[in-house]
């Protein structure tokens, strides 16, 4: 499956950006979320509170598709807080397609009576406020939330993320072995979530469930930091 090309966002000073958005936001929910801020770029990753975020969508284009479920798992390098997990099935504004149902297994009967994103937005924002969001492929979760919130509240939602797919891609593209494999025509290593987990000996989970994938992403980041970085790594070296 070919992933859509995305515009490259400028590298922001995230604490300054969030502080400015807190001043300018008209919506009180968004203002509170922005005001919670984020860690300074030189903060060791071991000291940063994080939340793994995953969502299932009806497609890959936030302009034409919608969110159907969201999973959140708060964690740190040393602990995954499963007791604080969150999971929502949402009612999308457009009908489900047969293709999307096959992919994420959320059916028409599942969304009957399900809330709209706006109905759970306060709880969602409280769960991510002040925590660094961790995703596997930032060009889904961040733009979909931004577009969905903008539609409902008239203002977008941007925030820093650590992208475990990007960290994995960075490592494999830079390694001498990866360059040699490309030179001899070998396919590059897969950086999909479950292929990446396999390289670290992490357990196999069923994919395409937002809560399970959020947990899988949190565990992957813990393994990546333990293997390639360290607890003192400044968070500014990891976020996007």
């Amino acid at each position: 499956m070919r992933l859509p090309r995305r515009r490259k966002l400028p590298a922001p000073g995230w604490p300054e950006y969030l502080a400015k958005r807190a001043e300018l936001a008209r919506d009180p929910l968004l203002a509170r979320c922005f005001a919670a801020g984020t860690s300074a770029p030189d903060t060791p990753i071991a000291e940063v509170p994080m939340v793994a975020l995953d969502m299932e969508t009806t497609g890959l284009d936030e302009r034409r598709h919608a969110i159907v479920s969201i999973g959140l798992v708060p964690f740190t390098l040393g602990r995954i807080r499963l007791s604080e997990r969150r999971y929502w099935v949402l009612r999308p504004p457009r009908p489900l397609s047969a293709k999307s149902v096959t992919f994420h297994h959320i059916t028409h009967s599942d969304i009957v009576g399900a809330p709209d994103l706006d109905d759970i937005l306060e709880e969602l924002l409280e769960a991510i406020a002040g925590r660094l969001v961790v995703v596997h492929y930032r060009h889904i979760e961040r733009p979909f939330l931004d577009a969905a919130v903008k539609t409902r509240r008239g203002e977008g939602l941007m925030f820093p993320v650590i992208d475990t797919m990007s960290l994995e891609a960075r490592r494999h593209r830079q390694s001498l072995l990866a360059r040699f494999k490309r030179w001899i025509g070998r396919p590059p290593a897969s950086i999909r979530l479950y292929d990446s987990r396999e390289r670290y000996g992490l357990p196999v989970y069923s994919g395409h469930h937002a809560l399970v994938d959020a947990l899988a992403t949190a565990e992957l980041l813990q393994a990546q930091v333990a293997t390639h970085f360290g607890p003192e790594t400044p968070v500014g070296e990891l976020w996007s």
Side-chain angles (χ1 to χ4, degrees):
M1 177 170 52
R2 180 180 294 274
L3 296 173
R5 292 180 64 85
R6 302 287 181 180
R7 63 187 177 87
K8 185 176 177 61
L9 294 171
W14 283 115
E16 296 79 12
Y17 171 83
L18 294 177
K20 190 65 175 178
R21 287 295 308 272
E23 291 179 7
L24 299 177
R26 300 181 301 277
D27 185 274
L29 289 183
L30 294 176
R32 286 203 302 271
C33 184
F34 291 131
T38 192
S39 302
D42 59 354
T43 306
I45 185 65
E47 299 176 11
V48 176
M50 294 176 280
V51 59
L53 167 66
D54 189 84
M55 59 180 58
E56 295 298 319
T57 63
T58 58
L60 297 174
D61 186 344
E62 74 277 4
R63 297 164 297 182
R64 299 186 297 112
H65 300 125
I67 302 166
V68 291
S69 66
I70 299 176
L72 291 173
V73 178
F75 75 106
T76 63
L77 279 191
R79 182 180 177 188
I80 292 178
R81 301 182 179 278
L82 275 178
S83 63
E84 299 174 26
R85 67 193 182 275
R86 299 286 187 275
Y87 177 67
W88 301 275
V89 172
L90 302 176
R91 184 181 68 254
R94 305 174 189 86
L96 296 173
S97 69
K99 183 177 180 181
S100 70
V101 170
T102 300
F103 192 72
H104 51 60
H105 306 296
I106 294 173
T107 67
H108 294 86
S109 61
D110 292 325
I111 64 172
V112 172
D116 181 77
L117 174 68
D118 203 54
D119 298 325
I120 60 98
L121 186 60
E122 182 172 8
E123 188 177 358
L124 172 64
L125 295 182
E126 287 177 354
I128 68 174
R131 290 188 169 106
L132 181 58
V133 174
V134 179
V135 300
H136 193 78
Y137 191 58
R138 66 185 181 275
H139 299 300
I140 293 294
E141 279 79 13
R142 191 159 60 183
F144 265 87
L145 267 182
D146 183 48
V149 171
K150 190 175 294 182
T151 296
R152 290 160 176 80
R153 298 283 172 145
E155 302 176 74
L157 177 65
M158 288 294 293
F159 45 85
V161 299
I162 293 179
D163 181 356
T164 54
M165 176 183 274
S166 179
L167 295 184
E168 205 67 7
R170 185 193 305 178
R171 172 148 187 90
H172 286 283
R173 288 171 186 161
Q174 291 176 352
S175 72
L176 290 175
L177 180 58
R179 295 175 191 172
F180 177 71
K181 285 182 176 180
R182 285 196 296 270
W183 181 70
I184 63 175
R186 292 274 296 279
S190 170
I191 55 174
R192 290 179 180 274
L193 177 57
Y194 287 87
D195 295 326
S196 298
R197 285 174 57 84
E198 185 178 9
R199 283 190 286 273
Y200 297 92
L202 294 169
V204 176
Y205 298 151
S206 296
H208 303 302
H209 184 286
L211 183 58
V212 176
D213 285 353
L215 173 60
T217 300
E219 291 177 344
L220 176 58
L221 181 68
Q222 289 178 328
Q224 288 173 321
V225 172
T227 305
H228 305 303
F229 300 98
E232 298 304 315
T233 301
V235 69
E237 293 185 12
L238 303 176
W239 68 20
S240 302

